[in-house]
């Protein structure tokens, strides 16, 4: 540990802050530089479209660590600071030309909302949701109620914002180019389940549509026009068509990139002293021998922890089961598993989806590759255990609510 005296972490969000804390928890007492482009100390993003947006979570509740932690633990927190260049041999340079040396560096630069290249996208009243400032602006409008909100895109962010906006008393319309919302993540059957949930709460969803432009008056958005000429009036337009990983710094540094920054199982990049974690890291998962990249908060925590230990020379592997959650209206859901393996997989239910309380499992060749618990709690660890086991399971036992999942997970792991 004495050979490492300076560590630079580029990206002051959940992965970067988790890495900084892990370094200190592991006994590293050298210098830590934590660079963040935003002027806010690291915070957690999922509540920005859920509780924080709705006003039920206060500002302090989304901070990764207390503000005093960075000072108390001698972490040099550089907020409002962009790193413009990375020299893999041992330095980063910020926009003002200041150069900082490192023995190890972690890239945790995250993602940015995908832009929608249509006329009117730059009008006032057109927003995306990524930062706490974005959420604050949205909240100021949504909490007044009675506004016409049009969302372009029905991914997780779009559906969560729609649910929050409708709960706050706004008129909500979702426009989606695909036939079924969330189908890319969950498949058509469960995508339709979420579509029905929103319809039951008077959210209007138009699918298989092409958005042509955002129209406005006096520089402010007033509606969204489809390719067929139909226009939906709007007081606020929210664009949620996905995110793209911020890998430009890695590309300029000559690191291997593709869908993200390519890393090994310990999250080391093609440059031996540089690691990557969070949204940008594309790692081969040892359980499926396939490269995956996850933009969910659990991956930021797991990746930040793994990268920190790897930077200190610990023998670690990034092998956590991917996990995320959503809250929409009175529905709470947790998902664990490998989404790329669910394409054309067999879908098995424990419980009746019509009841609003059930578990869905995706199976390939009799093995659980992913599971989703809806309004049923304290089972996600058992779902992860089933996924991790890689064993063939009994479909009858999987469907039977009288068979405890923990016993099923234990029986597979004991084989």
């Amino acid at each position: 540990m004495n050979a490492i005296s300076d560590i630079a972490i580029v990206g002051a969000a959940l992965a970067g802050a988790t890495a900084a804390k892990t370094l200190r928890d592991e006994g590293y007492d050298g210098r830590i530089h934590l660079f963040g482009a935003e002027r806010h100390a690291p915070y957690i993003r999922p509540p920005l479209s859920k509780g924080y947006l709705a006003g039920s979570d206060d500002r302090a509740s989304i901070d990764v660590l207390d503000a005093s932690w960075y000072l108390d633990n001698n972490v040099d927190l550089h907020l409002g600071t962009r790193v413009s260049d990375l020299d893999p041999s041992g330095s980063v340079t910020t926009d003002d030309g200041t150069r900082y040396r490192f023995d190890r560096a972690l890239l945790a630069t995250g993602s940015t909302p995908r832009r929608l290249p249509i006329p009117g996208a730059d009008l006032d009243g057109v927003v995306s949701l990524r930062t706490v400032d974005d959420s604050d602006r949205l909240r100021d409008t949504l909490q007044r109620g009675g506004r016409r909100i049009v969302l372009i895109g029905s991914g997780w962010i779009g559906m969560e914002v729609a649910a929050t906006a409708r709960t706050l008393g706004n008129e909500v319309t979702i426009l989606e180019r695909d036939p079924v919302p969330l189908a890319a993540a969950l498949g058509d059957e469960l995508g339709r389940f979420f579509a029905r949930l929103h319809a039951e709460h008077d959210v209007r969803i138009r699918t298989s549509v092409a958005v042509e432009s955002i129209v406005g008056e006096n520089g402010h958005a007033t509606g969204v026009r489809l390719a067929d000429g139909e226009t939906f009036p709007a007081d606020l337009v929210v664009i949620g068509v996905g995110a793209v990983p911020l890998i430009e710094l890695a590309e300029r540094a000559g690191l291997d990139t593709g869908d993200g920054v390519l890393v090994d199982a310990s999250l080391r990049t093609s440059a031996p002293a540089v690691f990557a974690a969070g949204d940008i890291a594309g790692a081969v998962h040892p359980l499926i021998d396939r490269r995956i990249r996850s933009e969910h908060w659990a991956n930021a925590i797991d990746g930040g922890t793994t990268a920190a230990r790897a930077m200190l020379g610990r023998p670690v592997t990034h092998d956590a089961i991917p996990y995320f959650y959503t809250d929409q209206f009175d529905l709470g859901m947790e998902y664990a598993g490998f989404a790329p393996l669910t394409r054309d997989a067999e879908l098995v239910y424990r419980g009746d989806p019509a009841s609003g309380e059930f578990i869905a499992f995706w199976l390939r060749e009799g093995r659980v590759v992913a599971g989703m618990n809806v309004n049923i709690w304290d089972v996600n660890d058992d779902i992860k255990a089933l996924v991790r086991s890689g064993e063939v399971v009994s479909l009858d036992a999987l469907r039977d609510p009288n068979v405890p999942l923990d016993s099923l997970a234990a029986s597979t792991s004991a084989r």
Side-chain angles (χ1 to χ4, degrees):
M1 205 179 298
N2 292 333
I4 302 174
S5 61
D6 290 83
I7 290 178
I9 301 174
V10 183
L14 182 55
T18 299
K21 184 175 187 303
T22 303
L23 288 168
R24 291 300 188 226
D25 290 347
E26 292 284 319
Y28 172 70
D29 58 4
R31 183 181 295 276
I32 300 174
H33 289 288
L34 179 56
F35 300 93
E38 294 184 58
R39 296 190 178 277
H40 302 286
Y43 58 87
I44 303 168
R45 298 189 191 276
L48 300 185
S49 56
K50 306 179 185 74
Y52 183 78
L53 182 61
S56 57
D57 295 344
D58 63 21
R59 178 63 182 83
S61 70
I62 68 173
D63 287 333
V64 179
L65 299 163
D66 291 338
S68 60
W69 183 90
Y70 304 95
L71 183 62
D72 293 345
N73 287 274
N74 195 28
V75 173
D76 295 328
L77 187 57
H78 305 269
L79 299 177
T81 302
R82 292 186 179 276
V83 172
S84 56
D85 288 292
L86 166 72
D87 179 349
S89 67
S91 68
V92 295
T93 304
T94 58
D95 274 352
D96 65 3
T98 306
R99 180 176 172 273
Y100 299 85
R101 70 166 300 276
F102 64 76
D103 300 299
R104 297 288 185 273
L106 173 64
L107 298 182
T109 45
S111 299
T112 190
R114 179 174 283 109
R115 296 176 61 84
L116 195 60
I118 58 173
D122 57 350
L123 290 169
D124 287 340
V126 179
V127 299
S128 296
L129 178 55
R130 175 65 182 174
T131 69
V132 67
D133 292 332
D134 295 334
S135 189
D136 285 340
R137 286 190 290 269
L138 266 174
R139 183 166 62 170
D140 288 343
T141 298
L142 298 183
Q143 290 192 348
R144 298 172 195 167
R147 298 299 196 270
R148 297 168 300 179
I149 312 300
V150 176
L151 293 108
I152 303 174
S154 64
W156 293 115
I157 293 293
M159 298 293 270
E160 289 170 357
V161 171
T164 301
R166 186 72 192 104
T167 300
L168 293 172
N170 297 281
E171 178 185 308
V172 179
T173 300
I174 297 174
L175 304 176
E176 170 57 47
R177 69 177 182 179
D178 293 332
V180 180
L182 295 174
L186 300 176
D188 287 351
E189 189 171 326
L190 283 165
R192 285 191 288 268
F193 169 83
F194 277 90
R196 287 193 297 271
L197 171 70
H198 280 253
E200 290 166 1
H201 288 84
D202 297 321
V203 173
R204 178 167 55 174
I205 301 179
R206 289 289 303 276
T207 58
S208 301
V209 298
V211 172
E212 179 185 81
S213 63
I214 299 171
V215 298
E217 295 178 2
N218 301 318
H220 194 282
T222 58
V224 179
R225 178 180 292 135
L226 302 183
D228 64 6
E230 184 177 7
T231 300
F232 294 86
D235 300 305
L236 182 72
V237 178
V238 182
I239 297 176
V241 291
V244 292
L246 291 169
I247 62 173
E248 292 83 357
L249 184 64
E251 289 175 330
R252 288 197 301 271
L255 305 183
D256 290 347
T257 60
D259 178 22
V261 179
L262 306 186
V263 295
D264 67 13
S266 68
L267 303 184
R268 189 189 301 267
T269 72
S270 55
V274 181
F275 296 73
D279 291 9
I280 66 170
V284 175
H285 199 290
L287 291 182
I288 61 173
D289 193 29
R290 181 169 177 171
R291 193 177 297 278
I292 60 174
R293 187 177 64 82
S294 173
E295 296 174 355
H296 297 294
W297 70 278
N299 179 61
I301 295 172
D302 296 330
T305 302
T306 297
R309 291 172 176 163
M311 286 191 288
L312 297 178
R314 309 283 195 266
V316 292
T317 298
H318 185 53
D319 65 351
I321 303 297
Y323 167 93
F324 70 91
Y325 73 99
T326 190
D327 296 312
Q328 299 176 37
F329 300 112
D330 55 353
L331 179 147
M333 178 274 271
E334 296 177 295
Y335 179 107
F338 299 104
L341 300 185
T342 63
R343 312 288 192 268
D344 302 320
E346 181 180 4
L347 187 57
V348 174
Y349 294 106
R350 172 176 287 215
D352 182 3
S355 72
E357 297 182 2
F358 65 96
I359 305 173
F361 301 94
W362 286 264
L363 288 88
R364 298 191 74 87
E365 299 178 350
R367 297 169 175 84
V368 177
V369 296
M372 179 178 79
N373 49 297
V374 177
N375 287 340
I376 293 176
W377 306 109
D378 300 324
V379 296
N380 199 260
D381 285 345
D382 298 325
I383 293 173
K384 289 179 181 177
L386 283 171
V387 173
R388 185 175 292 280
S389 76
E391 296 286 346
V392 174
V393 298
S394 163
L395 296 188
D396 289 340
L398 204 58
R399 292 188 179 102
D400 188 349
N402 295 314
V403 177
L405 274 184
D406 58 354
S407 68
L408 189 58
S411 67
T412 59
S413 62
R415 293 176 188 171

